Amino acid sequence: MDGIFLQQLVNGLTLGSVYGLIAIGYTMVYGIIGMINFAHGEVYMISAYLAAISLALLAYFGVESFPLLMLGTLLFTIVVTGVYGFTIERIAYKPLRNSTRLAPLISAIGISLILQNYAQISQGARQQGVPTLLEGAMRVEVGSGFVQLTYTKIFILVAAFVGMGLLTYVIKYTKLGRMCRATQQDRKMASILGINTDRVISYVFVIGAVMAALAGVLITMNYGTFDFYAGFIIGIKAFTAAVLGGIGSLPGAMLGGIILGISESLFSGLINSDYKDVFSFSLLVMILIFRPQGLLGRPLVAKV
């Protein structure tokens, strides 16, 4: 039992770290403009396809080294996905910035459907897959059982936490981070002080897309398969993680992702895997009822 519990804990930590990466995109956009980017899950889905395309191109040119494969795939996927994020902001959000709150939401849902159908038409409706890039595992004896930690999971954990750490550094200690925090606190005052808030908002969408791209590469490595609908469920789960941690809070998104991943994995492994999605969405409902501001979020205070 100890071995099974710890194995699910490791699986959940791996999954949760990726949820956290995607949740960062939701929470940053909400923190800046007060809207939920419901096309963010599809940005992750696009990044999975881009990762597969990049791996195929590198293999075609004879690249077999794992470090070179990952470096090339990450660079290609991050850059192109960042362009997608920038384009979504320019098309779906910027023209509607001064409109009613419902208009950007509908626009984002429209972009989500467009990206789904674009991927389905251009890449086909069947599941796509990539080969295992990093083989091997560590086995640790625990009581009467054991915990198996694959090298792929180790890489995912390291890459995810490095990505989160770099983003935290950017937000806390760089000029871009200060502009983001100023825009989040008071967009009008930030604009008066000379900050180009439109550009900052575009940067935030790009940062969110970059985090989704990293998640797309890591999940593609872990599971090996994906399809045009992959962004919907994982997008909603990442949104759940953002709400759990406190929408608008960067540490909250990370914490919420890890808690959700571990909870879902434990429920799946110890109770019933058929209802893991039901469990995740039930958790979202419970959060919204009993603590809508999340674990690290602050209650909204109306400004008079």
Side-chain angles (χ1 to χ4, degrees):
M1 184 66 179
D2 290 341
I4 296 174
F5 176 82
L6 290 175
Q7 183 66 64
Q8 295 304 323
L9 198 64
V10 170
N11 295 341
L13 186 60
T14 306
L15 181 62
S17 64
V18 178
Y19 283 162
L21 289 174
I22 304 174
I24 285 170
Y26 284 106
T27 205
M28 288 191 70
V29 169
Y30 182 85
I32 292 290
I33 62 175
M35 298 289 179
I36 302 298
N37 178 19
F38 279 111
H40 191 58
E42 274 55 53
V43 174
Y44 150 78
M45 176 269 295
I46 291 292
S47 73
Y49 279 101
L50 290 172
I53 292 170
S54 176
L55 288 171
L57 288 173
L58 290 170
Y60 177 79
F61 287 107
V63 178
E64 297 180 355
S65 168
F66 176 76
L68 291 178
L69 282 172
M70 288 313 305
L71 180 62
T73 300
L74 284 171
L75 287 175
F76 176 79
T77 306
I78 284 173
V79 170
V80 180
T81 307
V83 173
Y84 271 93
F86 178 82
T87 305
I88 288 172
E89 191 274 332
R90 291 289 167 167
I91 293 175
Y93 278 93
K94 187 176 181 181
L96 304 173
R97 196 156 292 160
N98 297 318
S99 63
T100 62
R101 293 176 65 88
L102 189 60
L105 177 64
I106 296 172
S107 179
I109 293 173
I111 291 291
S112 173
L113 295 173
I114 289 171
L115 289 176
Q116 281 186 20
N117 284 274
Y118 161 69
Q120 182 183 13
I121 293 170
S122 62
Q123 302 297 324
R126 294 183 178 180
Q127 277 197 337
Q128 307 288 331
V130 297
T132 302
L133 300 177
L134 192 59
E135 297 181 346
M138 296 171 55
R139 178 175 289 193
V140 181
E141 300 291 335
V142 179
S144 58
F146 64 89
V147 175
Q148 181 168 290
L149 188 59
T150 65
Y151 295 141
T152 298
K153 282 186 169 62
I154 295 173
F155 177 81
I156 289 171
L157 286 170
V158 172
F161 282 104
V162 167
M164 291 178 182
L166 287 174
L167 179 61
T168 301
Y169 175 82
V170 168
I171 296 300
K172 282 190 173 183
Y173 300 110
T174 66
K175 181 180 178 180
L176 173 60
R178 289 192 293 271
M179 290 192 298
C180 289
R181 284 184 279 124
T183 304
Q184 178 180 7
Q185 291 173 10
D186 193 324
R187 195 196 315 174
K188 186 175 181 180
M189 181 57 69
S191 180
I192 292 172
L193 293 174
I195 296 175
N196 188 334
T197 55
D198 284 340
R199 185 177 298 172
V200 170
I201 292 170
S202 297
Y203 288 156
V204 166
F205 271 82
V206 172
I207 291 171
V210 166
M211 293 294 105
L214 178 57
V217 173
L218 297 180
I219 290 184
T220 302
M221 281 184 61
N222 192 38
Y223 292 108
T225 60
F226 54 90
D227 57 24
F228 71 96
Y229 201 63
F232 177 74
I233 293 295
I234 199 166
I236 297 297
K237 288 184 179 180
F239 173 67
T240 302
V243 174
L244 172 60
I247 192 78
S249 168
L250 191 61
M254 301 174 187
L255 177 63
I258 291 171
I259 292 175
L260 178 63
I262 291 175
S263 301
E264 181 181 312
S265 184
L266 290 175
F267 183 90
S268 177
L270 302 179
I271 300 177
N272 193 325
S273 62
D274 293 337
Y275 297 99
K276 63 178 183 178
D277 292 341
V278 175
F279 170 77
S280 299
F281 300 139
S282 298
L283 184 61
L284 173 60
V285 173
M286 298 295 286
I287 297 163
L288 292 174
I289 293 173
F290 295 106
R291 191 173 174 83
Q293 73 269 28
L295 296 176
L296 301 183
R298 298 177 181 177
L300 292 177
V301 178
K303 296 180 180 179
V304 180

PDB file of all heavy atoms in Angstrom, residues 188-221:
ATOM      1  N   LYS A 188      -4.950  51.975 -15.259  1.00  0.00           N
ATOM      2  CA  LYS A 188      -5.063  53.385 -15.640  1.00  0.00           C
ATOM      3  C   LYS A 188      -3.895  54.196 -15.091  1.00  0.00           C
ATOM      4  O   LYS A 188      -3.291  55.012 -15.805  1.00  0.00           O
ATOM      5  CB  LYS A 188      -6.389  53.951 -15.133  1.00  0.00           C
ATOM      6  CG  LYS A 188      -6.660  55.372 -15.595  1.00  0.00           C
ATOM      7  CD  LYS A 188      -8.043  55.834 -15.157  1.00  0.00           C
ATOM      8  CE  LYS A 188      -8.319  57.254 -15.649  1.00  0.00           C
ATOM      9  NZ  LYS A 188      -9.671  57.722 -15.237  1.00  0.00           N
ATOM     10  N   MET A 189      -3.553  53.973 -13.827  1.00  0.00           N
ATOM     11  CA  MET A 189      -2.438  54.704 -13.231  1.00  0.00           C
ATOM     12  C   MET A 189      -1.118  54.315 -13.890  1.00  0.00           C
ATOM     13  O   MET A 189      -0.247  55.170 -14.112  1.00  0.00           O
ATOM     14  CB  MET A 189      -2.377  54.430 -11.727  1.00  0.00           C
ATOM     15  CG  MET A 189      -1.260  55.175 -11.001  1.00  0.00           C
ATOM     16  SD  MET A 189      -1.349  56.968 -11.211  1.00  0.00           S
ATOM     17  CE  MET A 189      -2.828  57.329 -10.259  1.00  0.00           C
ATOM     18  N   ALA A 190      -0.960  53.033 -14.213  1.00  0.00           N
ATOM     19  CA  ALA A 190       0.257  52.593 -14.895  1.00  0.00           C
ATOM     20  C   ALA A 190       0.406  53.291 -16.241  1.00  0.00           C
ATOM     21  O   ALA A 190       1.508  53.706 -16.630  1.00  0.00           O
ATOM     22  CB  ALA A 190       0.228  51.078 -15.082  1.00  0.00           C
ATOM     23  N   SER A 191      -0.703  53.452 -16.944  1.00  0.00           N
ATOM     24  CA  SER A 191      -0.671  54.147 -18.231  1.00  0.00           C
ATOM     25  C   SER A 191      -0.299  55.617 -18.056  1.00  0.00           C
ATOM     26  O   SER A 191       0.482  56.170 -18.836  1.00  0.00           O
ATOM     27  CB  SER A 191      -2.033  54.014 -18.918  1.00  0.00           C
ATOM     28  OG  SER A 191      -2.033  54.665 -20.164  1.00  0.00           O
ATOM     29  N   ILE A 192      -0.828  56.245 -17.012  1.00  0.00           N
ATOM     30  CA  ILE A 192      -0.506  57.652 -16.733  1.00  0.00           C
ATOM     31  C   ILE A 192       0.982  57.819 -16.442  1.00  0.00           C
ATOM     32  O   ILE A 192       1.611  58.811 -16.832  1.00  0.00           O
ATOM     33  CB  ILE A 192      -1.355  58.164 -15.552  1.00  0.00           C
ATOM     34  CG1 ILE A 192      -2.827  58.248 -15.967  1.00  0.00           C
ATOM     35  CG2 ILE A 192      -0.865  59.528 -15.069  1.00  0.00           C
ATOM     36  CD1 ILE A 192      -3.769  58.566 -14.833  1.00  0.00           C
ATOM     37  N   LEU A 193       1.566  56.819 -15.781  1.00  0.00           N
ATOM     38  CA  LEU A 193       2.984  56.878 -15.418  1.00  0.00           C
ATOM     39  C   LEU A 193       3.911  56.525 -16.579  1.00  0.00           C
ATOM     40  O   LEU A 193       5.130  56.480 -16.401  1.00  0.00           O
ATOM     41  CB  LEU A 193       3.251  55.942 -14.239  1.00  0.00           C
ATOM     42  CG  LEU A 193       2.584  56.351 -12.912  1.00  0.00           C
ATOM     43  CD1 LEU A 193       2.802  55.287 -11.858  1.00  0.00           C
ATOM     44  CD2 LEU A 193       3.125  57.696 -12.439  1.00  0.00           C
ATOM     45  N   GLY A 194       3.347  56.271 -17.749  1.00  0.00           N
ATOM     46  CA  GLY A 194       4.173  56.059 -18.930  1.00  0.00           C
ATOM     47  C   GLY A 194       4.345  54.621 -19.363  1.00  0.00           C
ATOM     48  O   GLY A 194       5.098  54.345 -20.307  1.00  0.00           O
ATOM     49  N   ILE A 195       3.681  53.693 -18.712  1.00  0.00           N
ATOM     50  CA  ILE A 195       3.779  52.287 -19.101  1.00  0.00           C
ATOM     51  C   ILE A 195       2.820  52.021 -20.257  1.00  0.00           C
ATOM     52  O   ILE A 195       1.645  52.396 -20.198  1.00  0.00           O
ATOM     53  CB  ILE A 195       3.448  51.363 -17.911  1.00  0.00           C
ATOM     54  CG1 ILE A 195       4.486  51.537 -16.804  1.00  0.00           C
ATOM     55  CG2 ILE A 195       3.391  49.905 -18.355  1.00  0.00           C
ATOM     56  CD1 ILE A 195       4.173  50.764 -15.538  1.00  0.00           C
ATOM     57  N   ASN A 196       3.323  51.407 -21.291  1.00  0.00           N
ATOM     58  CA  ASN A 196       2.481  51.029 -22.429  1.00  0.00           C
ATOM     59  C   ASN A 196       1.705  49.769 -22.039  1.00  0.00           C
ATOM     60  O   ASN A 196       2.174  48.648 -22.218  1.00  0.00           O
ATOM     61  CB  ASN A 196       3.345  50.774 -23.661  1.00  0.00           C
ATOM     62  CG  ASN A 196       2.514  50.575 -24.922  1.00  0.00           C
ATOM     63  OD1 ASN A 196       1.358  50.154 -24.861  1.00  0.00           O
ATOM     64  ND2 ASN A 196       3.102  50.874 -26.069  1.00  0.00           N
ATOM     65  N   THR A 197       0.525  49.974 -21.479  1.00  0.00           N
ATOM     66  CA  THR A 197      -0.232  48.839 -20.937  1.00  0.00           C
ATOM     67  C   THR A 197      -0.693  47.875 -22.028  1.00  0.00           C
ATOM     68  O   THR A 197      -0.801  46.672 -21.778  1.00  0.00           O
ATOM     69  CB  THR A 197      -1.449  49.343 -20.136  1.00  0.00           C
ATOM     70  OG1 THR A 197      -2.235  50.213 -20.958  1.00  0.00           O
ATOM     71  CG2 THR A 197      -0.997  50.100 -18.898  1.00  0.00           C
ATOM     72  N   ASP A 198      -0.963  48.389 -23.220  1.00  0.00           N
ATOM     73  CA  ASP A 198      -1.337  47.492 -24.318  1.00  0.00           C
ATOM     74  C   ASP A 198      -0.208  46.514 -24.625  1.00  0.00           C
ATOM     75  O   ASP A 198      -0.438  45.316 -24.847  1.00  0.00           O
ATOM     76  CB  ASP A 198      -1.670  48.295 -25.576  1.00  0.00           C
ATOM     77  CG  ASP A 198      -3.041  48.952 -25.500  1.00  0.00           C
ATOM     78  OD1 ASP A 198      -3.865  48.498 -24.685  1.00  0.00           O
ATOM     79  OD2 ASP A 198      -3.282  49.915 -26.245  1.00  0.00           O
ATOM     80  N   ARG A 199       1.011  47.025 -24.620  1.00  0.00           N
ATOM     81  CA  ARG A 199       2.159  46.157 -24.883  1.00  0.00           C
ATOM     82  C   ARG A 199       2.358  45.161 -23.743  1.00  0.00           C
ATOM     83  O   ARG A 199       2.678  43.992 -23.977  1.00  0.00           O
ATOM     84  CB  ARG A 199       3.417  47.007 -25.068  1.00  0.00           C
ATOM     85  CG  ARG A 199       4.650  46.211 -25.472  1.00  0.00           C
ATOM     86  CD  ARG A 199       5.838  47.127 -25.704  1.00  0.00           C
ATOM     87  NE  ARG A 199       5.574  48.062 -26.793  1.00  0.00           N
ATOM     88  CZ  ARG A 199       6.381  49.072 -27.104  1.00  0.00           C
ATOM     89  NH1 ARG A 199       7.485  49.282 -26.390  1.00  0.00           N
ATOM     90  NH2 ARG A 199       6.089  49.874 -28.112  1.00  0.00           N
ATOM     91  N   VAL A 200       2.153  45.612 -22.516  1.00  0.00           N
ATOM     92  CA  VAL A 200       2.294  44.719 -21.362  1.00  0.00           C
ATOM     93  C   VAL A 200       1.287  43.578 -21.446  1.00  0.00           C
ATOM     94  O   VAL A 200       1.619  42.415 -21.183  1.00  0.00           O
ATOM     95  CB  VAL A 200       2.114  45.502 -20.046  1.00  0.00           C
ATOM     96  CG1 VAL A 200       2.016  44.543 -18.856  1.00  0.00           C
ATOM     97  CG2 VAL A 200       3.272  46.466 -19.840  1.00  0.00           C
ATOM     98  N   ILE A 201       0.061  43.895 -21.824  1.00  0.00           N
ATOM     99  CA  ILE A 201      -0.968  42.859 -21.954  1.00  0.00           C
ATOM    100  C   ILE A 201      -0.563  41.839 -23.023  1.00  0.00           C
ATOM    101  O   ILE A 201      -0.715  40.627 -22.840  1.00  0.00           O
ATOM    102  CB  ILE A 201      -2.329  43.494 -22.284  1.00  0.00           C
ATOM    103  CG1 ILE A 201      -2.833  44.296 -21.079  1.00  0.00           C
ATOM    104  CG2 ILE A 201      -3.353  42.429 -22.667  1.00  0.00           C
ATOM    105  CD1 ILE A 201      -4.044  45.153 -21.362  1.00  0.00           C
ATOM    106  N   SER A 202      -0.012  42.327 -24.127  1.00  0.00           N
ATOM    107  CA  SER A 202       0.461  41.411 -25.169  1.00  0.00           C
ATOM    108  C   SER A 202       1.581  40.524 -24.642  1.00  0.00           C
ATOM    109  O   SER A 202       1.624  39.315 -24.913  1.00  0.00           O
ATOM    110  CB  SER A 202       0.951  42.201 -26.384  1.00  0.00           C
ATOM    111  OG  SER A 202      -0.096  42.933 -26.981  1.00  0.00           O
ATOM    112  N   TYR A 203       2.504  41.112 -23.872  1.00  0.00           N
ATOM    113  CA  TYR A 203       3.591  40.331 -23.277  1.00  0.00           C
ATOM    114  C   TYR A 203       3.046  39.238 -22.360  1.00  0.00           C
ATOM    115  O   TYR A 203       3.565  38.115 -22.336  1.00  0.00           O
ATOM    116  CB  TYR A 203       4.527  41.241 -22.480  1.00  0.00           C
ATOM    117  CG  TYR A 203       5.401  42.148 -23.309  1.00  0.00           C
ATOM    118  CD1 TYR A 203       5.917  43.331 -22.780  1.00  0.00           C
ATOM    119  CD2 TYR A 203       5.723  41.832 -24.625  1.00  0.00           C
ATOM    120  CE1 TYR A 203       6.726  44.172 -23.530  1.00  0.00           C
ATOM    121  CE2 TYR A 203       6.528  42.665 -25.384  1.00  0.00           C
ATOM    122  CZ  TYR A 203       7.025  43.835 -24.836  1.00  0.00           C
ATOM    123  OH  TYR A 203       7.819  44.659 -25.587  1.00  0.00           O
ATOM    124  N   VAL A 204       2.006  39.568 -21.609  1.00  0.00           N
ATOM    125  CA  VAL A 204       1.427  38.593 -20.681  1.00  0.00           C
ATOM    126  C   VAL A 204       0.838  37.407 -21.449  1.00  0.00           C
ATOM    127  O   VAL A 204       1.000  36.248 -21.044  1.00  0.00           O
ATOM    128  CB  VAL A 204       0.361  39.264 -19.795  1.00  0.00           C
ATOM    129  CG1 VAL A 204      -0.497  38.224 -19.079  1.00  0.00           C
ATOM    130  CG2 VAL A 204       1.029  40.176 -18.779  1.00  0.00           C
ATOM    131  N   PHE A 205       0.168  37.684 -22.550  1.00  0.00           N
ATOM    132  CA  PHE A 205      -0.366  36.593 -23.370  1.00  0.00           C
ATOM    133  C   PHE A 205       0.770  35.731 -23.930  1.00  0.00           C
ATOM    134  O   PHE A 205       0.646  34.505 -24.004  1.00  0.00           O
ATOM    135  CB  PHE A 205      -1.217  37.152 -24.510  1.00  0.00           C
ATOM    136  CG  PHE A 205      -2.661  37.349 -24.152  1.00  0.00           C
ATOM    137  CD1 PHE A 205      -3.067  38.483 -23.476  1.00  0.00           C
ATOM    138  CD2 PHE A 205      -3.608  36.396 -24.474  1.00  0.00           C
ATOM    139  CE1 PHE A 205      -4.398  38.678 -23.136  1.00  0.00           C
ATOM    140  CE2 PHE A 205      -4.939  36.570 -24.144  1.00  0.00           C
ATOM    141  CZ  PHE A 205      -5.341  37.713 -23.470  1.00  0.00           C
ATOM    142  N   VAL A 206       1.855  36.371 -24.320  1.00  0.00           N
ATOM    143  CA  VAL A 206       3.002  35.617 -24.840  1.00  0.00           C
ATOM    144  C   VAL A 206       3.616  34.756 -23.736  1.00  0.00           C
ATOM    145  O   VAL A 206       3.942  33.579 -23.956  1.00  0.00           O
ATOM    146  CB  VAL A 206       4.056  36.574 -25.432  1.00  0.00           C
ATOM    147  CG1 VAL A 206       5.336  35.814 -25.782  1.00  0.00           C
ATOM    148  CG2 VAL A 206       3.506  37.261 -26.673  1.00  0.00           C
ATOM    149  N   ILE A 207       3.758  35.316 -22.536  1.00  0.00           N
ATOM    150  CA  ILE A 207       4.317  34.551 -21.416  1.00  0.00           C
ATOM    151  C   ILE A 207       3.434  33.348 -21.101  1.00  0.00           C
ATOM    152  O   ILE A 207       3.924  32.231 -20.887  1.00  0.00           O
ATOM    153  CB  ILE A 207       4.470  35.454 -20.174  1.00  0.00           C
ATOM    154  CG1 ILE A 207       5.568  36.488 -20.402  1.00  0.00           C
ATOM    155  CG2 ILE A 207       4.799  34.613 -18.938  1.00  0.00           C
ATOM    156  CD1 ILE A 207       5.645  37.544 -19.317  1.00  0.00           C
ATOM    157  N   GLY A 208       2.122  33.567 -21.070  1.00  0.00           N
ATOM    158  CA  GLY A 208       1.208  32.453 -20.833  1.00  0.00           C
ATOM    159  C   GLY A 208       1.331  31.380 -21.899  1.00  0.00           C
ATOM    160  O   GLY A 208       1.317  30.178 -21.596  1.00  0.00           O
ATOM    161  N   ALA A 209       1.479  31.803 -23.155  1.00  0.00           N
ATOM    162  CA  ALA A 209       1.635  30.844 -24.250  1.00  0.00           C
ATOM    163  C   ALA A 209       2.947  30.079 -24.128  1.00  0.00           C
ATOM    164  O   ALA A 209       3.010  28.880 -24.421  1.00  0.00           O
ATOM    165  CB  ALA A 209       1.567  31.571 -25.594  1.00  0.00           C
ATOM    166  N   VAL A 210       3.997  30.757 -23.682  1.00  0.00           N
ATOM    167  CA  VAL A 210       5.294  30.091 -23.499  1.00  0.00           C
ATOM    168  C   VAL A 210       5.193  29.011 -22.424  1.00  0.00           C
ATOM    169  O   VAL A 210       5.716  27.898 -22.583  1.00  0.00           O
ATOM    170  CB  VAL A 210       6.376  31.130 -23.131  1.00  0.00           C
ATOM    171  CG1 VAL A 210       7.638  30.443 -22.615  1.00  0.00           C
ATOM    172  CG2 VAL A 210       6.707  31.988 -24.344  1.00  0.00           C
ATOM    173  N   MET A 211       4.506  29.317 -21.323  1.00  0.00           N
ATOM    174  CA  MET A 211       4.313  28.317 -20.272  1.00  0.00           C
ATOM    175  C   MET A 211       3.482  27.134 -20.790  1.00  0.00           C
ATOM    176  O   MET A 211       3.761  25.975 -20.477  1.00  0.00           O
ATOM    177  CB  MET A 211       3.623  28.948 -19.063  1.00  0.00           C
ATOM    178  CG  MET A 211       4.453  29.975 -18.315  1.00  0.00           C
ATOM    179  SD  MET A 211       5.911  29.264 -17.488  1.00  0.00           S
ATOM    180  CE  MET A 211       7.210  29.824 -18.586  1.00  0.00           C
ATOM    181  N   ALA A 212       2.465  27.434 -21.598  1.00  0.00           N
ATOM    182  CA  ALA A 212       1.656  26.365 -22.194  1.00  0.00           C
ATOM    183  C   ALA A 212       2.489  25.527 -23.159  1.00  0.00           C
ATOM    184  O   ALA A 212       2.309  24.306 -23.256  1.00  0.00           O
ATOM    185  CB  ALA A 212       0.450  26.960 -22.917  1.00  0.00           C
ATOM    186  N   ALA A 213       3.407  26.180 -23.875  1.00  0.00           N
ATOM    187  CA  ALA A 213       4.279  25.453 -24.801  1.00  0.00           C
ATOM    188  C   ALA A 213       5.185  24.488 -24.049  1.00  0.00           C
ATOM    189  O   ALA A 213       5.372  23.333 -24.461  1.00  0.00           O
ATOM    190  CB  ALA A 213       5.119  26.439 -25.610  1.00  0.00           C
ATOM    191  N   LEU A 214       5.748  24.959 -22.939  1.00  0.00           N
ATOM    192  CA  LEU A 214       6.582  24.072 -22.120  1.00  0.00           C
ATOM    193  C   LEU A 214       5.762  22.891 -21.620  1.00  0.00           C
ATOM    194  O   LEU A 214       6.215  21.737 -21.666  1.00  0.00           O
ATOM    195  CB  LEU A 214       7.168  24.864 -20.946  1.00  0.00           C
ATOM    196  CG  LEU A 214       8.035  24.083 -19.952  1.00  0.00           C
ATOM    197  CD1 LEU A 214       9.204  23.405 -20.655  1.00  0.00           C
ATOM    198  CD2 LEU A 214       8.533  25.009 -18.844  1.00  0.00           C
ATOM    199  N   ALA A 215       4.538  23.168 -21.172  1.00  0.00           N
ATOM    200  CA  ALA A 215       3.658  22.090 -20.712  1.00  0.00           C
ATOM    201  C   ALA A 215       3.335  21.126 -21.848  1.00  0.00           C
ATOM    202  O   ALA A 215       3.299  19.904 -21.653  1.00  0.00           O
ATOM    203  CB  ALA A 215       2.370  22.674 -20.139  1.00  0.00           C
ATOM    204  N   GLY A 216       3.099  21.658 -23.047  1.00  0.00           N
ATOM    205  CA  GLY A 216       2.780  20.811 -24.187  1.00  0.00           C
ATOM    206  C   GLY A 216       3.907  19.851 -24.527  1.00  0.00           C
ATOM    207  O   GLY A 216       3.676  18.665 -24.796  1.00  0.00           O
ATOM    208  N   VAL A 217       5.132  20.347 -24.498  1.00  0.00           N
ATOM    209  CA  VAL A 217       6.284  19.485 -24.777  1.00  0.00           C
ATOM    210  C   VAL A 217       6.414  18.411 -23.703  1.00  0.00           C
ATOM    211  O   VAL A 217       6.627  17.225 -23.998  1.00  0.00           O
ATOM    212  CB  VAL A 217       7.576  20.323 -24.859  1.00  0.00           C
ATOM    213  CG1 VAL A 217       8.799  19.412 -24.974  1.00  0.00           C
ATOM    214  CG2 VAL A 217       7.522  21.276 -26.045  1.00  0.00           C
ATOM    215  N   LEU A 218       6.249  18.800 -22.439  1.00  0.00           N
ATOM    216  CA  LEU A 218       6.437  17.854 -21.335  1.00  0.00           C
ATOM    217  C   LEU A 218       5.352  16.778 -21.316  1.00  0.00           C
ATOM    218  O   LEU A 218       5.640  15.594 -21.107  1.00  0.00           O
ATOM    219  CB  LEU A 218       6.458  18.613 -20.006  1.00  0.00           C
ATOM    220  CG  LEU A 218       7.606  19.621 -19.834  1.00  0.00           C
ATOM    221  CD1 LEU A 218       7.519  20.309 -18.480  1.00  0.00           C
ATOM    222  CD2 LEU A 218       8.964  18.948 -20.010  1.00  0.00           C
ATOM    223  N   ILE A 219       4.097  17.182 -21.529  1.00  0.00           N
ATOM    224  CA  ILE A 219       3.020  16.189 -21.526  1.00  0.00           C
ATOM    225  C   ILE A 219       3.132  15.266 -22.733  1.00  0.00           C
ATOM    226  O   ILE A 219       2.864  14.062 -22.638  1.00  0.00           O
ATOM    227  CB  ILE A 219       1.642  16.888 -21.500  1.00  0.00           C
ATOM    228  CG1 ILE A 219       1.419  17.541 -20.139  1.00  0.00           C
ATOM    229  CG2 ILE A 219       0.520  15.895 -21.784  1.00  0.00           C
ATOM    230  CD1 ILE A 219       0.063  18.166 -19.961  1.00  0.00           C
ATOM    231  N   THR A 220       3.544  15.813 -23.860  1.00  0.00           N
ATOM    232  CA  THR A 220       3.745  14.970 -25.042  1.00  0.00           C
ATOM    233  C   THR A 220       4.829  13.932 -24.780  1.00  0.00           C
ATOM    234  O   THR A 220       4.712  12.774 -25.185  1.00  0.00           O
ATOM    235  CB  THR A 220       4.128  15.841 -26.252  1.00  0.00           C
ATOM    236  OG1 THR A 220       3.096  16.802 -26.487  1.00  0.00           O
ATOM    237  CG2 THR A 220       4.299  14.990 -27.500  1.00  0.00           C
ATOM    238  N   MET A 221       5.877  14.340 -24.083  1.00  0.00           N
ATOM    239  CA  MET A 221       6.922  13.387 -23.704  1.00  0.00           C
ATOM    240  C   MET A 221       6.379  12.301 -22.786  1.00  0.00           C
ATOM    241  O   MET A 221       6.728  11.129 -22.909  1.00  0.00           O
ATOM    242  CB  MET A 221       8.057  14.112 -22.977  1.00  0.00           C
ATOM    243  CG  MET A 221       9.033  14.850 -23.841  1.00  0.00           C
ATOM    244  SD  MET A 221      10.349  15.534 -22.816  1.00  0.00           S
ATOM    245  CE  MET A 221      11.045  14.041 -22.098  1.00  0.00           C
TER     246      MET A 221
END
